[in-house]
Amino acid sequence: MPAEEFTDVFTRRLLSLAGSTTELLEERLGCRLRLRVTAQSTAAAPPSTPGRVPGGSRRFREPHADGPYLVRHSELVGPRGLVVSRNLVTGRLPGDPRLAGAVTGRTVPLGISAAVRRAAPRRVPLEIALCPWPGSPSAVSAVRRAYLLSLADEAPLYVEERFNPAVVPSARAARVPHGCAR
């Protein structure tokens, strides 16, 4: 779904963003967010079909198919314990040790860490969708975006971000069927 369908200006801005999600969320909340890694592992092969992007049907090439495969779940958390986003990063672990450290670090969010290492992160949008958010009423969905993140010349990483609807509103504009005038 296009970012323009959301009624909240901040939500549209966040979903169209090519830069740091963390920095924009911190600007909105007026506070520093901390990273909490909830699970992280590496394996010799992806947990799903090779070349398939989790959560989507698009395929991408993995030029460094011999490296370890990362699966990382993390959260961005506010000062009072508010979970602002839940994130998934999967893909081949970068061969460059500095970038591998940015991707697996437990204190600095990925986008900020990669930028500090001058990795020139590039994002290729894949999908914007709605999904459940734990603890929210079933009528209130969370916004989810997925993209491929390229760091320097490394294989792209699949990144999925789910945003707390109390911070990133998920309301969308009503759609008018084609052919109907109001």
Side-chain angles (χ1 to χ4, degrees):
M1 73 183 53
E4 298 80 34
E5 285 188 15
F6 292 89
T7 58
D8 184 76
V9 173
F10 177 80
T11 300
R12 290 193 307 267
R13 184 173 164 214
L14 180 72
L15 295 174
S16 302
L17 180 71
S20 171
T21 303
T22 303
E23 289 174 354
L24 191 58
L25 289 167
E26 287 177 342
E27 179 184 308
R28 172 151 177 120
L29 296 170
C31 65
R32 292 298 248 177
L33 298 175
R34 68 181 169 84
L35 174 69
R36 178 169 51 205
V37 176
T38 58
Q40 181 168 281
S41 63
T42 56
S48 61
T49 308
R52 185 178 174 98
V53 176
S57 61
R58 296 184 184 224
R59 295 181 173 275
F60 64 97
R61 293 187 182 152
E62 297 185 67
H64 307 289
D66 57 337
Y69 195 88
L70 173 71
V71 177
R72 173 188 171 107
H73 295 270
S74 64
E75 299 173 334
L76 289 177
V77 182
R80 292 189 189 100
L82 173 70
V83 176
V84 175
S85 72
R86 291 191 165 95
N87 312 297
L88 166 69
V89 176
T90 63
R92 290 287 168 196
L93 196 59
D96 179 332
R98 294 176 315 118
L99 295 179
V103 171
T104 60
R106 294 184 172 269
T107 58
V108 179
L110 173 59
I112 293 172
S113 183
V116 166
R117 288 171 171 81
R118 295 188 176 97
R122 294 175 313 283
R123 292 167 177 83
V124 175
L126 295 175
E127 179 181 44
I128 296 172
L130 297 175
C131 64
W133 183 264
S136 287
S138 60
V140 178
S141 296
V143 176
R144 179 178 67 81
R145 80 172 181 164
Y147 53 90
L148 293 180
L149 178 68
S150 295
L151 302 173
D153 293 328
E154 300 287 345
L157 299 166
Y158 172 82
V159 178
E160 187 175 288
E161 301 169 320
R162 296 170 187 247
F163 302 102
N164 185 330
V167 177
V168 179
S170 60
R172 297 183 325 159
R175 298 182 118 196
V176 177
H178 293 290
C180 296
R182 288 194 181 194

